[in-house]
Amino acid sequence: MRKFLLTTAAVFGLTAMAHADEVEVLHWWTSGGEAAALNVLKKNLESQGITWKDMPVAGGGGDAAMTALRARVTAGNPPTAVQALGFDITDWAKQGVVGDLTEVATREGWDKVVPAALQNFSKYDGKWIAAPVNVHSTNWVWINKAALDAAGGKAPTSWDELVAVLDKMKANGLTPVAHGGQAWQEATIFDGVVLSLGADFYKSAFIDLDPKALDSDKMVEAFDRMAKLRSYVDDNFSGRDWNLASAMVIEGKAGMQFMGDWAKGEFLKAGKVPGKDFVCIRFPGTQGAVTFNSDQFMMFKVGDASQKAQLQMASDIESPAFQSAFNVVKGSVPARTDVPNDAFDDCGKKGMADLADASKNNLLFGSMAHGHAAPAAIKNALYDVVTKHFNGEMDSKAAAKALAEAVAAAKG
Amino acid sequence: MSQVQSQRSILQDWLPRIVLAPSFAVVLLFVYGFILFTGVLSFTGSKMLPDLTTWVGLNNYARLFNHPNWSTSLANLGIFGSLYIIICSVLGLGLAILLDQKIRGEGFLRPIYLYPMALSFIVTGVAWKWFLDPGIGLEHVMQSWGWESFSFRWIKDGRFAIYTIVIAAIWQSSGFVMAMFLAGLRGVDNEIIKAAQIDGASNWMLYSRIIIPLMRPVFLSAFVVLAHLAIKSYDLVVAMTDGGPGTATWTPALFMQKFTFGRNEMGMGAASAIIMLMMIAAIIVPYLYSELKGGRRS
């Protein structure tokens, strides 16, 4: 089988040589703002004489794109660069099909400016295999300013303060928490809740997958907090998309949303101003630590002739100008910590400062909910438990036990 | 002369085989070949891509049957399959009998019942999702019309969500089952019916004792069609609930897709696919057997 793959790879490699100055890019950034952001990169490359062959596969937060990629790689004809997330990159690297960017990375000193936690994914076996585009962080809270003012006006910094604010919002007749009942959204909140119980706890539970941390009293407490948050959600939450939940906060029907910083794009699109119409804070009790997920362009093995264009593309992605231009539009923050923050809004500036701090203090962790703490099988096993508990199918104690069991089963 | 004739007869012998050969080869490879490949994969430790170097024996099957989501999927298949098949058959038969009363406008009514079958399950699923959503659908409309206490939120409740999928599936398929039964009813020999009527059989007796027993083959066909639709039910579930709330509406087909492509557990996904194949085979093989035996007899 492997030999068959390699032969077909060789055959397709020959045909690929014909288009030396071309990069074929598989991605799922098709919505308005994302496509505009990506266009910056495309223009850059075209001005350098490199043609951009677009291969957008939208849907399912990248699931559809990964399925398409499987087919392309199995046929021995991978695209030049593929948008990818977290452990997907490592998994592909293990298959031995990815390219090598070490040459350009060393020349441009990526090692010094890209946070080490990101490098865990961009590098495999000491070689750079992917160019990180952005850093999203998931432990954000987006609060409607008017609703917060009516509830005392002070942004909560601890769990108890959060509960107090939520109670007041409820008394004011609002839906305190805007939430969409999809497994990944519940897991996104869970990221913040677990992190609020201690950075060490987050690390031992989700990164080290320590069974003792997974089935512990602290984990029971985390699930209790999830159940508490569940009581602030409207009846009609299940199945709602995240952007509709954001809209509830924007329109003032709901008080706050726990969501990654891609939610900011929804607020900005609605003409809202950070600090004036909405407030962005870290999940109460997690200031200083950051759970991230990072979009990267993973590079595949292409013929020698096409490699020049591939390296050029990687270099363009890491250029501070592109990092700034792209991330201003996307709502995320640059993947390198030395990019000037002039072009960013207040939330963006806060995000960049938080990222640099967290990276310096070793408090930058991969997000479990977004596949940056553990591989897909474990991430989804965790989704099952979190979403079952959130939907009232089990109590907190049973959930902590089930969590440890599910992770153990998924490891096997 | 005779040589030309024998050449022609050789050609006549071989022509069908030559014409059929490509499609036969394609089916052999792409259907049965890949079934075999899936079977092999289910014994390997394949994660993201097929990997034939690690053999794990029956481990994937053991993990599959220990997985809570697979138990949920099987239980849901039991609920969905039995209700779907029984209610569809009963409704289909009822509608067919009513339409068979030589009523006026049958040509107009029949397509109305058949029309849902022309939609894909995705369209049906999205339409029913909106219709049953308490925030925008039935409950909202009823309450805005003044029936404040009206509540119907099954689709948001893990205990009842699977039944909403049953409702949508029945809406989609019962018209088709009706058409099958109607064809069956029309196929019943008029002589027999007349004879029974002369003997003084009531309408009830006529249907329950004579016509319905005569339609046994139609029941069997309807069962086979509905059963395999139930086992492979995927698109309807994805469109309506995507397995939620929680994992309440997972079905085996959904399990297979999510594990193979979402969780990089190709080995377990293949194992679940093989179990589904065995379930379908358990239905189809006896059916084919009885059909083929029947064919030989006539």
Side-chain angles (χ1 to χ4, degrees):
Chain A
M1 187 70 197
R2 177 137 294 183
K3 193 162 181 197
F4 166 70
L5 286 183
L6 287 178
T7 2
T8 42
V11 171
F12 278 104
L14 287 176
T15 53
M17 276 186 195
H19 324 279
D21 289 338
E22 180 182 272
V23 286
E24 187 178 10
V25 185
L26 174 65
H27 64 93
W28 59 91
W29 280 326
T30 48
S31 81
E34 296 169 341
L38 202 55
N39 212 26
V40 178
L41 181 61
K42 186 178 165 186
K43 288 264 160 59
N44 272 355
L45 282 167
E46 272 167 4
S47 71
Q48 292 156 341
I50 294 168
T51 334
W52 175 284
K53 198 171 160 203
D54 208 30
M55 189 187 168
V57 181
D63 280 358
M66 285 299 125
T67 307
L69 179 61
R70 242 177 265 253
R72 289 286 301 266
V73 173
T74 316
N77 181 26
T80 318
V82 178
Q83 180 191 358
L85 288 163
F87 278 90
D88 283 343
I89 304 174
T90 317
D91 285 347
W92 282 110
K94 280 186 193 151
Q95 307 288 335
V97 289
V98 293
D100 185 357
L101 303 173
T102 312
E103 179 194 332
V104 59
T106 325
R107 195 171 64 228
E108 298 181 0
W110 294 3
D111 283 284
K112 276 181 260 118
V113 290
V114 175
L118 255 75
Q119 289 185 26
N120 284 341
F121 298 107
S122 330
K123 283 164 91 168
Y124 182 75
D125 224 3
K127 281 188 216 153
W128 281 86
I129 54 170
V133 182
N134 61 11
V135 181
H136 280 294
S137 52
T138 61
N139 56 331
W140 282 107
V141 187
W142 308 92
I143 313 179
N144 183 304
K145 184 79 164 45
L148 183 65
D149 288 342
K154 184 179 170 299
T157 55
S158 68
W159 174 253
D160 293 332
E161 286 178 31
L162 175 67
V163 171
V165 169
L166 290 171
D167 279 335
K168 273 190 207 133
M169 283 177 172
K170 200 173 195 174
N172 291 343
L174 289 178
T175 300
V177 175
H179 172 64
Q182 293 167 345
W184 71 269
Q185 295 189 47
E186 273 129 31
T188 302
I189 301 182
F190 198 58
D191 267 3
V193 167
V194 170
L195 189 62
S196 75
L197 287 166
D200 292 340
F201 177 54
Y202 184 93
K203 183 171 178 298
S204 55
F206 286 169
I207 311 248
D208 306 336
L209 299 172
D210 179 2
K212 279 191 222 98
L214 288 167
D215 185 9
S216 64
D217 291 344
K218 257 195 174 163
M219 194 54 84
V220 175
E221 196 187 340
F223 278 112
D224 280 341
R225 288 186 174 186
M226 289 299 283
K228 183 77 183 159
L229 290 177
R230 165 74 178 80
S231 68
Y232 296 111
V233 167
D234 64 326
D235 287 343
N236 202 18
F237 73 99
S238 86
R240 179 190 287 140
D241 285 323
W242 66 271
N243 51 342
L244 299 181
S246 304
M248 290 168 66
V249 179
I250 293 170
E251 290 162 14
K253 286 184 199 151
M256 62 177 78
Q257 183 186 19
F258 308 102
M259 186 45 64
D261 47 19
W262 48 92
K264 191 177 75 178
E266 297 292 313
F267 286 85
L268 298 181
K269 237 190 292 172
K272 304 291 176 189
V273 181
K276 194 164 127 284
D277 301 309
F278 67 97
V279 181
C280 50
I281 57 166
R282 291 290 169 181
F283 191 94
T286 67
Q287 179 64 42
V290 170
T291 48
F292 75 93
N293 65 321
S294 163
D295 287 297
Q296 315 212 4
F297 273 116
M298 159 171 69
M299 302 295 177
F300 277 84
K301 255 184 209 153
V302 287
D304 288 341
S306 317
Q307 216 203 356
K308 204 175 125 261
Q310 188 178 47
L311 292 179
Q312 186 61 50
M313 179 181 169
S315 163
D316 284 358
I317 291 170
E318 293 311 314
S319 78
F322 169 72
Q323 289 276 332
S324 174
F326 180 90
N327 285 302
V328 165
V329 181
K330 182 79 165 63
S332 41
V333 303
R336 46 192 295 167
T337 46
D338 63 341
V339 177
N341 68 1
D342 311 328
F344 289 82
D345 58 41
D346 289 352
C347 291
K349 282 182 178 141
K350 176 173 163 53
M352 289 171 76
D354 287 350
L355 178 72
D357 276 355
S359 177
K360 201 169 63 201
N361 301 328
N362 283 329
L363 292 172
L364 179 61
F365 303 112
S367 155
M368 175 49 112
H370 296 272
H372 281 64
I378 293 175
K379 172 188 88 173
N380 284 294
L382 180 125
Y383 276 16
D384 290 344
V385 178
V386 171
T387 191
K388 267 185 199 158
H389 171 265
F390 200 80
N391 284 286
E393 285 178 45
M394 51 172 75
D395 64 20
S396 300
K397 239 190 153 83
K401 191 158 168 282
L403 193 65
E405 283 168 4
V407 168
K411 269 184 190 168
Chain B
M1 185 72 183
S2 75
Q3 196 157 7
V4 172
Q5 228 166 21
S6 77
Q7 267 178 1
R8 183 180 295 167
S9 78
I10 289 173
L11 189 67
Q12 269 172 350
D13 265 5
W14 279 93
L15 192 63
R17 293 180 209 182
I18 294 168
V19 172
L20 280 178
S23 73
F24 182 73
V26 166
V27 168
L28 200 66
L29 177 64
F30 287 101
V31 177
Y32 297 95
F34 281 126
I35 288 178
L36 197 69
F37 187 51
T38 307
V40 172
L41 277 184
S42 74
F43 296 109
T44 68
S46 303
K47 292 290 179 196
M48 189 161 65
L49 291 174
D51 167 16
L52 300 179
T53 52
T54 49
W55 284 85
V56 296
L58 288 170
N59 189 24
N60 282 327
Y61 291 91
R63 287 177 63 203
L64 181 67
F65 279 94
N66 281 327
H67 204 288
N69 291 12
W70 181 247
S71 330
T72 313
S73 302
L74 287 182
N76 280 339
L77 178 62
I79 296 172
F80 176 78
S82 52
L83 288 178
Y84 174 60
I85 293 170
I86 292 170
I87 300 179
C88 262
S89 306
V90 171
L91 264 184
L93 182 63
L95 287 172
I97 289 175
L98 292 179
L99 268 185
D100 196 35
Q101 306 304 314
K102 313 223 160 37
I103 48 168
R104 214 184 310 168
E106 187 203 316
F108 171 73
L109 283 172
R110 203 173 38 201
I112 288 186
Y113 288 113
L114 254 181
Y115 181 66
M117 197 65 193
L119 299 175
S120 82
F121 269 120
I122 292 284
V123 178
T124 307
V126 172
W128 277 88
K129 177 169 93 177
W130 289 341
F131 178 66
L132 293 174
D133 188 302
I136 52 174
L138 184 65
E139 181 177 305
H140 178 74
V141 171
M142 284 297 172
Q143 288 178 350
S144 66
W145 282 352
W147 187 356
E148 295 289 339
S149 61
F150 183 86
S151 168
F152 188 77
R153 35 184 57 253
W154 280 13
I155 198 168
K156 301 284 178 187
D157 186 331
R159 287 167 301 166
F160 297 111
I162 187 72
Y163 299 104
T164 62
I165 294 175
V166 175
I167 294 172
I170 288 171
W171 178 82
Q172 164 105 333
S173 307
S174 52
F176 171 69
V177 180
M178 176 205 77
M180 285 178 80
F181 279 125
L182 199 56
L185 285 172
R186 295 283 151 83
V188 173
D189 195 345
N190 246 337
E191 305 271 304
I192 302 175
I193 300 175
K194 290 235 175 75
Q197 279 170 336
I198 289 168
D199 283 347
S202 66
N203 249 344
W204 168 251
M205 290 272 275
L206 190 62
Y207 275 104
S208 65
R209 291 287 177 81
I210 295 169
I211 296 179
I212 292 176
L214 273 175
M215 296 208 321
R216 209 180 63 99
V218 185
F219 271 100
L220 206 59
S221 310
F223 174 75
V224 168
V225 169
L226 291 173
H228 94 273
L229 279 177
I231 292 175
K232 68 181 195 192
S233 56
Y234 169 74
D235 30 13
L236 184 65
V237 183
V238 167
M240 272 184 82
T241 61
D242 198 20
T247 55
T249 51
W250 276 48
T251 57
L254 198 74
F255 184 98
M256 192 277 289
Q257 197 274 345
K258 285 201 192 266
F259 269 72
T260 312
F261 298 110
R263 305 194 175 191
N264 295 343
E265 291 269 19
M266 198 171 270
M268 258 172 103
S272 69
I274 292 295
I275 299 288
M276 280 164 63
L277 176 73
M278 282 157 70
M279 288 194 282
I280 292 185
I283 294 165
I284 301 279
V285 169
Y287 172 72
L288 283 180
Y289 183 72
S290 77
E291 284 287 288
L292 291 177
K293 216 172 67 179
R296 212 175 297 138
R297 203 167 45 216
S298 69

